[in-house]
Amino acid sequence: MNESNGPEQHGRAEQLKRNLGTRRVPALRASNFPDAGAAVQTLTSSTRPAGSVDVLLVNPPSPDGGIWIRSQHRVGRRSRENMIWPQVSLAQLASLLTPDYTVEIVDAIATRMDWREFERILEERRPRYYLTQVTAPTLRNDMYGVFLARSLGAQTLAFGTHVTPMTLETMRPFPALDYVLRGEPEATLRELLDHFEAKTPSDPRVAKLVADTKMGQPGRGGERDRGTKEAREQVAAPASATSPFAVNHSIDLVLSPLASSTLERVDEAVLDGALQSPLANILGLAWRYEGEIIINRDRPFFPSMDDLPMPLHHLLPLDRQRMPMIKGPFTFIVTSRGCPAGCKYCIKHVSYQNSVRLRSPQAIYDELALLAELGVHNVHMYADLFTVNREQVVALCKLLIANGLRVNWTCNSRVDYVDEEMLSLMGQAGCYLISWGIESANEQILKRAHKGYRMEQAPLALTWAHNAGIKNWGYFIIGLPGETEETIQETITYSKSLPLDIALFHIAAPYPGTPFFYEVVENGWFRPGTQWEEVDMDQSTVLDYHETGLSAERLEYWQKRATREWSFRPGPILTFAKGLNTWDGVKSAVSVGVQTLKFVAS
C-alpha cells in the first residue's frame, strides 16, 4: 500500500513546490506607483497641433438641442420664436485681441452644433484660452464646456450676467473654471491675456481702452495700498459690500447646497501671497490662488463707446443667423450701453446699469455700411434702450436717408421714449419692427416694478409706429409682485386691444443681481429646492406668491393661457402665415408653430 501510494504522494509534493502561494508572504514594502505619463506626450502637452488657436470665444451647445439665447447684456432663455441671437459680444471681444492673438468664434447655437461635434472642435483647435458665455438657465450645461476645455489644457474664462453677481457661487462648485470677467469684460480680458503672454496692444485704441479703465472706481479710494486692512478686504473674496456687483449670500441657503452659508474670509497668509501677484491689480477679475477664490476690485466702465474697435462680424456665422419674418441673414449692431430706467426685474442692473454711453451716429452708419459689403442687410439695433437719446436716433436716420443706404432694421424701445415725428423718420430710414416692453395692464404693478410709464402712452406709441409702417412686437411679464389672477386677465385683454403683430408672455424671473431678485429673497418667494436652471422667464417659474395664492403652477397656467388666447386669433395667424416667405421661413414657422402648440398644451 505504501509502495503504491509513493509516486502519487511525490507528485503532490512536486505540485506544492511549484505553487508559489505556499511560500512565505513577503514583508510589507513601501509603495512605489509607476508614472506612465512621463513616457508619453499627454493631451495637455505644450506641443499644440496645426490649426490650434490662442483664444476660442464660445457660445456653447444648448442643454436640449433647441435654440437658446445668451448675451452679455441679456438673460438666457429658450427661444420658442426660433430667433438666432447673433454673438456680437464675442465679435467685439475678438476685435480687441486681433491681430496680436489668433482668435476663433464658435457659435454652437447658430450652427446647431451638438456636444460631440463641439468636443471635436476643441480637440482640433486646442485653445490656450477658452472664454464662454454663461447664463443662469444654462449654468451646468455651460460649465460642461469649461470642463472639456480645461481637460485639454486650456485656461478657462467666463463672463455674463450670471457669473458677475454670482461669482463665488459659480467658481466654488465648478473648479474647472479658472477666471471670471466681472461686469464689462473687454478691457479685463485684454489685460489678463497681455499679462500672461507679455504683450502690449498693437491697436492704440485698445491700449487706450485698457489704460482708461485701470484706475479704481471713483469714490472708492483710488489705487489700492497693498499694506492696508482696507486693501485686503477689497481684493479678497467675497466682494466688497460697496461693489455694484456685491453678492447677497442669503440665497445660498435656498439655491446652493454646495456653497457655504457664511461669509468666508481668505486666510491671511494666502491673502498676503495673492496681493503680491500681478493678477491682484487686474480690475474686474476673479481668480484662484492656492485653493482660494480672489475677487479683485471692480473695473470702471470705459468712457466712450467710440473707443471700441468695430466688432469682427466676419468671424460670426452670418449666413446662419435668422430672425422671424425676415429674408436672409441678420446681425446686431450695438448702439449704446446702459439705460436710465429703473425696472426692478431688468438684468441691466447687473451689466451696464444706469449710466448711458452712446455710439456716434457716424460710427453706427459706418458699421452698417461694412455689413452691407458683407451681404447683411437685416440688422437689429442692439441696446438696453435704442431710443434712449432722440438726437442720436434722428441723426442716424437722416444719415441713412441722405446716403441711400438701404437697411432693414429692428430695435427695442419704451413707449415713453418715442414721439410721432421720430417714429415716422425711423420708418423712412428702414425700421420695420420695434419690440416694446409693455409688461402689464395694471398701473400699480407697473409702479411697484418701477416701470415708470403711463398707461395711455402704450396704445399711442404703438399706433404711431403702426402708422409709420413699423410692426409692433409686445413683451409682457406675468407674475410681477402684486399680481393676481384678475390682473393677469386684465393684461391678456389689454394685449388683444393693442395694435400688435407679435406678442410674447414671459413669467417674472428673479435673475441674480436685479432688485427683483433681492425682493424675492427677502420675502421668501423662491420655491424650496430651486436650481439655477429653473430661473428662466420662458420655460418655468420659481416663484410662489403665498399672500395672493399665485403658485408657480398657476403662473405657468396663465402664461400658457395668455399665449393661447393671444396667438390663436385671425390677426396673429395671418402674421404667422406671412412669415412663410422663404423655404427657411416655412421650416422655421412650422417649428415655431409646433413648439407653441406643445407649450400651450403642456
Coordinates of all heavy atoms in Angstrom, one line a residue, residues 206-267:
V206 N -7.1 100.1 -28.4 CA -7.2 99.1 -27.4 C -6.3 99.4 -26.2 O -6.7 99.3 -25.0 CB -6.8 97.7 -28.0 CG1 -6.8 96.7 -26.9 CG2 -7.8 97.3 -29.1
A207 N -5.1 99.9 -26.5 CA -4.2 100.4 -25.4 C -4.9 101.5 -24.6 O -4.8 101.4 -23.3 CB -2.9 100.8 -26.0
K208 N -5.5 102.4 -25.2 CA -6.2 103.5 -24.5 C -7.4 103.0 -23.7 O -7.6 103.4 -22.5 CB -6.7 104.5 -25.5 CG -7.4 105.7 -24.9 CD -7.9 106.7 -25.9 CE -8.5 108.0 -25.3 NZ -9.7 107.7 -24.5
L209 N -8.1 102.0 -24.2 CA -9.3 101.5 -23.5 C -8.8 100.8 -22.2 O -9.4 101.0 -21.2 CB -10.0 100.5 -24.4 CG -11.3 100.0 -23.9 CD1 -12.4 101.0 -24.2 CD2 -11.7 98.7 -24.6
V210 N -7.8 100.0 -22.3 CA -7.3 99.3 -21.1 C -6.7 100.4 -20.1 O -7.0 100.3 -18.9 CB -6.2 98.3 -21.5 CG1 -5.5 97.7 -20.2 CG2 -6.7 97.2 -22.3
A211 N -6.0 101.3 -20.6 CA -5.4 102.3 -19.7 C -6.5 103.2 -19.0 O -6.4 103.5 -17.8 CB -4.5 103.2 -20.5
D212 N -7.5 103.5 -19.7 CA -8.6 104.3 -19.2 C -9.4 103.6 -18.1 O -10.1 104.3 -17.3 CB -9.6 104.8 -20.3 CG -9.0 105.8 -21.2 OD1 -8.0 106.4 -20.8 OD2 -9.6 106.1 -22.2
T213 N -9.3 102.3 -18.0 CA -10.1 101.6 -17.0 C -9.2 100.9 -16.0 O -9.7 100.0 -15.3 CB -11.0 100.5 -17.7 OG1 -10.1 99.6 -18.5 CG2 -12.0 101.2 -18.7
K214 N -8.0 101.2 -15.9 CA -7.1 100.5 -15.0 C -7.1 101.2 -13.6 O -6.7 100.6 -12.6 CB -5.6 100.5 -15.5 CG -5.5 99.5 -16.6 CD -4.0 99.4 -17.1 CE -3.2 98.7 -16.1 NZ -1.9 98.3 -16.6
M215 N -7.6 102.4 -13.5 CA -7.7 103.1 -12.2 C -8.9 102.6 -11.5 O -9.9 102.1 -12.0 CB -7.8 104.6 -12.4 CG -6.6 105.2 -13.1 SD -5.1 105.0 -12.0 CE -5.5 106.2 -10.8
G216 N -8.9 102.7 -10.1 CA -10.0 102.3 -9.3 C -11.3 103.1 -9.6 O -11.2 104.2 -10.1
Q217 N -12.4 102.6 -9.1 CA -13.7 103.3 -9.2 C -13.6 104.6 -8.5 O -13.1 104.7 -7.4 CB -14.8 102.4 -8.7 CG -15.0 101.1 -9.4 CD -15.9 101.3 -10.6 OE1 -15.8 102.3 -11.3 NE2 -16.7 100.4 -10.9
P218 N -14.2 105.7 -9.1 CA -14.2 107.0 -8.4 C -14.9 106.8 -7.1 O -16.0 106.2 -7.0 CB -15.0 107.8 -9.4 CG -14.9 107.2 -10.7 CD -14.8 105.7 -10.4
G219 N -14.4 107.5 -6.0 CA -15.0 107.4 -4.7 C -14.8 106.2 -3.9 O -15.3 106.0 -2.9
R220 N -13.8 105.3 -4.4 CA -13.6 104.1 -3.7 C -12.1 104.0 -3.3 O -11.5 102.9 -3.2 CB -13.9 102.9 -4.5 CG -15.4 102.9 -4.8 CD -15.8 101.6 -5.5 NE -17.2 101.7 -5.9 CZ -17.8 100.8 -6.7 NH1 -17.2 99.8 -7.1 NH2 -19.0 101.0 -7.1
G221 N -11.5 105.1 -3.2 CA -10.1 105.1 -2.6 C -9.0 105.1 -3.7 O -7.9 105.0 -3.3
G222 N -9.3 105.2 -5.0 CA -8.3 105.2 -6.0 C -7.5 104.0 -6.0 O -8.0 102.9 -5.8
E223 N -6.2 104.1 -6.3 CA -5.3 103.0 -6.3 C -5.2 102.3 -5.0 O -5.2 102.9 -3.9 CB -3.9 103.4 -6.8 CG -3.9 103.7 -8.3 CD -4.2 102.4 -9.1 OE1 -3.5 101.4 -8.9 OE2 -5.1 102.5 -9.9
R224 N -5.0 101.0 -5.0 CA -5.0 100.2 -3.8 C -3.7 100.3 -3.1 O -2.6 100.2 -3.7 CB -5.3 98.7 -4.2 CG -5.4 97.8 -3.0 CD -6.1 96.5 -3.4 NE -5.5 95.8 -4.5 CZ -6.0 95.6 -5.7 NH1 -7.2 96.0 -5.9 NH2 -5.4 95.0 -6.6
D225 N -3.7 100.5 -1.8 CA -2.5 100.4 -1.0 C -2.4 99.0 -0.4 O -3.2 98.6 0.4 CB -2.6 101.4 0.2 CG -1.4 101.3 1.1 OD1 -0.5 100.5 0.9 OD2 -1.3 102.1 2.1
R226 N -1.4 98.2 -0.9 CA -1.4 96.8 -0.6 C -1.2 96.6 0.9 O -1.5 95.5 1.4 CB -0.2 96.2 -1.4 CG -0.4 96.1 -2.8 CD 0.8 95.5 -3.5 NE 0.5 95.3 -4.9 CZ 0.7 94.2 -5.6 NH1 1.2 93.1 -4.9 NH2 0.5 94.1 -6.8
G227 N -0.7 97.5 1.6 CA -0.4 97.3 3.0 C -1.5 97.5 4.0 O -1.4 97.3 5.2
T228 N -2.6 98.0 3.5 CA -3.7 98.4 4.4 C -4.7 97.3 4.6 O -4.9 96.5 3.8 CB -4.4 99.7 3.9 OG1 -5.1 99.3 2.7 CG2 -3.5 100.8 3.7
K229 N -5.4 97.4 5.7 CA -6.5 96.5 6.0 C -7.6 96.6 5.0 O -8.2 95.6 4.5 CB -7.1 96.7 7.4 CG -8.3 95.8 7.8 CD -8.7 96.1 9.2 CE -9.8 95.2 9.6 NZ -11.0 95.5 8.9
E230 N -7.9 97.9 4.5 CA -8.9 98.1 3.5 C -8.6 97.4 2.2 O -9.4 96.8 1.5 CB -9.1 99.6 3.3 CG -9.8 100.3 4.5 CD -8.8 100.6 5.6 OE1 -7.6 100.4 5.4 OE2 -9.3 101.0 6.7
A231 N -7.3 97.4 1.9 CA -6.9 96.8 0.6 C -7.1 95.3 0.7 O -7.6 94.7 -0.3 CB -5.4 97.0 0.4
R232 N -6.9 94.7 1.8 CA -7.1 93.3 2.0 C -8.6 92.9 1.8 O -8.9 92.0 1.1 CB -6.6 92.8 3.3 CG -5.1 92.9 3.6 CD -4.8 92.7 5.0 NE -3.4 92.9 5.3 CZ -2.4 92.0 5.2 NH1 -2.8 90.8 4.9 NH2 -1.2 92.3 5.5
E233 N -9.4 93.8 2.4 CA -10.9 93.5 2.3 C -11.4 93.7 0.9 O -12.3 93.0 0.4 CB -11.6 94.4 3.3 CG -11.3 94.0 4.7 CD -12.0 95.0 5.7 OE1 -12.5 96.0 5.2 OE2 -12.0 94.7 6.9
Q234 N -10.8 94.6 0.1 CA -11.3 94.9 -1.2 C -10.8 93.9 -2.2 O -11.6 93.6 -3.2 CB -10.8 96.3 -1.6 CG -11.5 97.4 -0.9 CD -11.0 98.8 -1.2 OE1 -9.8 98.9 -1.6 NE2 -11.8 99.8 -1.1
V235 N -9.6 93.3 -2.0 CA -9.2 92.4 -3.0 C -9.6 91.0 -2.8 O -9.7 90.1 -3.7 CB -7.6 92.4 -3.1 CG1 -7.0 91.7 -1.9 CG2 -7.2 91.7 -4.4
A236 N -10.0 90.7 -1.5 CA -10.3 89.3 -1.2 C -11.7 88.9 -1.3 O -12.6 89.8 -1.2 CB -9.9 89.0 0.3
A237 N -12.0 87.7 -1.6 CA -13.4 87.2 -1.7 C -13.9 87.1 -0.3 O -13.2 86.8 0.6 CB -13.4 85.8 -2.3
P238 N -15.1 87.4 -0.1 CA -16.2 87.9 -1.0 C -16.0 89.3 -1.4 O -15.3 90.1 -0.8 CB -17.5 87.6 -0.3 CG -17.1 87.8 1.1 CD -15.7 87.3 1.3
A239 N -16.8 89.7 -2.4 CA -16.7 91.1 -2.9 C -17.1 92.1 -1.9 O -17.9 91.8 -1.0 CB -17.6 91.2 -4.1
S240 N -16.5 93.3 -2.0 CA -16.8 94.3 -1.1 C -18.3 94.7 -1.1 O -18.9 94.7 -2.2 CB -15.9 95.6 -1.4 OG -16.4 96.7 -0.8
A241 N -18.8 95.1 0.0 CA -20.2 95.4 0.1 C -20.5 96.7 -0.7 O -21.7 97.0 -1.0 CB -20.7 95.6 1.5
T242 N -19.5 97.5 -1.0 CA -19.7 98.7 -1.7 C -19.7 98.5 -3.2 O -20.0 99.4 -4.0 CB -18.6 99.8 -1.4 OG1 -17.3 99.2 -1.8 CG2 -18.5 100.1 0.1
S243 N -19.4 97.3 -3.6 CA -19.4 97.0 -5.1 C -20.8 97.0 -5.6 O -21.8 96.5 -5.0 CB -18.8 95.6 -5.3 OG -19.1 95.1 -6.6
P244 N -21.0 97.5 -6.9 CA -22.3 97.4 -7.5 C -22.7 96.0 -7.8 O -23.8 95.6 -8.1 CB -22.1 98.2 -8.8 CG -20.7 98.2 -9.1 CD -20.0 98.2 -7.7
F245 N -21.7 95.1 -7.8 CA -21.9 93.7 -8.0 C -21.8 92.8 -6.8 O -21.5 91.7 -6.8 CB -20.8 93.1 -9.0 CG -20.8 93.9 -10.3 CD1 -19.6 94.4 -10.8 CD2 -22.0 94.1 -11.0 CE1 -19.6 95.1 -12.0 CE2 -22.0 94.8 -12.2 CZ -20.8 95.3 -12.7
A246 N -22.0 93.5 -5.6 CA -21.9 92.8 -4.3 C -22.9 91.6 -4.3 O -24.0 91.7 -4.8 CB -22.2 93.7 -3.2
V247 N -22.5 90.5 -3.7 CA -23.3 89.3 -3.7 C -24.1 89.2 -2.4 O -23.7 89.4 -1.3 CB -22.4 88.0 -3.8 CG1 -23.2 86.8 -3.7 CG2 -21.6 88.1 -5.0
N248 N -25.4 88.9 -2.5 CA -26.3 88.7 -1.4 C -26.2 87.2 -1.1 O -26.8 86.4 -1.8 CB -27.7 89.1 -1.7 CG -28.6 89.0 -0.5 OD1 -28.5 88.0 0.3 ND2 -29.6 89.9 -0.4
H249 N -25.6 86.8 0.0 CA -25.3 85.4 0.2 C -26.5 84.7 0.9 O -26.4 83.5 1.0 CB -24.1 85.2 1.1 CG -22.8 85.5 0.4 ND1 -22.0 84.5 -0.1 CD2 -22.2 86.7 0.0 CE1 -21.0 85.0 -0.7 NE2 -21.1 86.3 -0.6
S250 N -27.6 85.4 1.2 CA -28.7 84.7 1.8 C -29.3 83.7 0.9 O -29.9 82.7 1.3 CB -29.8 85.7 2.3 OG -30.2 86.4 1.2
I251 N -29.1 83.9 -0.4 CA -29.7 82.9 -1.4 C -29.0 81.6 -1.3 O -29.5 80.6 -1.8 CB -29.6 83.5 -2.8 CG1 -30.5 82.7 -3.8 CG2 -28.1 83.5 -3.3 CD1 -31.9 82.8 -3.5
D252 N -27.8 81.5 -0.7 CA -27.1 80.2 -0.6 C -27.9 79.2 0.1 O -27.9 78.0 -0.3 CB -25.8 80.4 0.3 CG -24.7 81.1 -0.5 OD1 -24.8 81.2 -1.7 OD2 -23.7 81.5 0.1
L253 N -28.7 79.6 1.1 CA -29.5 78.7 1.9 C -30.6 78.1 1.0 O -31.1 77.0 1.3 CB -30.1 79.4 3.1 CG -29.1 80.0 4.1 CD1 -29.8 80.8 5.1 CD2 -28.3 78.9 4.7
V254 N -31.0 78.8 0.0 CA -32.1 78.3 -0.8 C -31.6 77.5 -2.1 O -32.1 76.5 -2.4 CB -33.0 79.5 -1.3 CG1 -34.1 79.0 -2.1 CG2 -33.5 80.3 -0.1
L255 N -30.6 78.1 -2.7 CA -30.3 77.6 -4.0 C -29.0 76.8 -4.1 O -28.9 76.0 -5.0 CB -30.1 78.8 -5.0 CG -31.3 79.6 -5.3 CD1 -31.0 80.7 -6.2 CD2 -32.4 78.7 -5.9
S256 N -28.1 77.0 -3.3 CA -26.8 76.4 -3.5 C -26.3 75.6 -2.3 O -25.6 76.1 -1.4 CB -25.8 77.5 -3.8 OG -24.5 77.0 -4.1
P257 N -26.7 74.3 -2.2 CA -26.2 73.5 -1.1 C -24.7 73.3 -1.1 O -24.2 72.9 0.0 CB -26.9 72.1 -1.4 CG -27.2 72.1 -2.8 CD -27.5 73.5 -3.2
L258 N -24.0 73.5 -2.2 CA -22.6 73.3 -2.2 C -21.9 74.5 -1.6 O -20.7 74.4 -1.2 CB -22.1 73.1 -3.7 CG -22.6 71.8 -4.3 CD1 -22.0 71.7 -5.7 CD2 -22.1 70.6 -3.5
A259 N -22.5 75.7 -1.6 CA -21.9 76.9 -1.1 C -22.1 77.1 0.4 O -23.1 76.6 1.0 CB -22.4 78.1 -1.8
S260 N -21.1 77.7 1.0 CA -21.2 78.0 2.4 C -22.3 79.0 2.7 O -22.5 79.9 1.9 CB -19.9 78.5 3.0 OG -20.0 79.0 4.3
S261 N -23.0 78.9 3.8 CA -24.0 79.9 4.2 C -23.4 81.0 5.0 O -24.1 81.9 5.4 CB -25.1 79.2 4.9 OG -24.6 78.6 6.1
T262 N -22.1 81.0 5.2 CA -21.4 82.1 6.0 C -20.4 82.7 5.1 O -20.0 82.2 4.1 CB -20.7 81.5 7.2 OG1 -19.7 80.6 6.8 CG2 -21.7 80.8 8.2
L263 N -20.1 84.0 5.4 CA -19.2 84.7 4.6 C -17.7 84.3 4.9 O -17.3 84.5 6.1 CB -19.3 86.2 4.8 CG -20.6 86.8 4.4 CD1 -20.6 88.3 4.7 CD2 -20.9 86.6 3.0
E264 N -17.1 83.6 4.0 CA -15.7 83.1 4.3 C -14.7 84.2 4.1 O -14.9 85.1 3.3 CB -15.4 82.0 3.3 CG -16.4 80.8 3.4 CD -16.0 79.7 2.4 OE1 -15.2 80.0 1.5 OE2 -16.7 78.7 2.5
R265 N -13.7 84.1 4.9 CA -12.6 85.1 4.8 C -11.3 84.3 4.3 O -11.1 83.2 4.7 CB -12.2 85.8 6.1 CG -13.4 86.5 6.7 CD -14.0 87.5 5.7 NE -13.1 88.4 5.1 CZ -13.4 89.2 4.1 NH1 -14.6 89.2 3.6 NH2 -12.5 90.0 3.6
V266 N -10.6 84.9 3.4 CA -9.4 84.2 2.9 C -8.3 84.3 4.0 O -8.1 85.3 4.7 CB -8.9 85.0 1.6 CG1 -7.6 84.4 1.2 CG2 -9.9 84.9 0.6
D267 N -7.6 83.2 4.2 CA -6.5 83.1 5.2 C -5.5 84.2 4.9 O -5.1 84.5 3.8 CB -5.9 81.7 5.1 CG -4.8 81.5 6.0 OD1 -5.0 81.2 7.2 OD2 -3.6 81.7 5.6

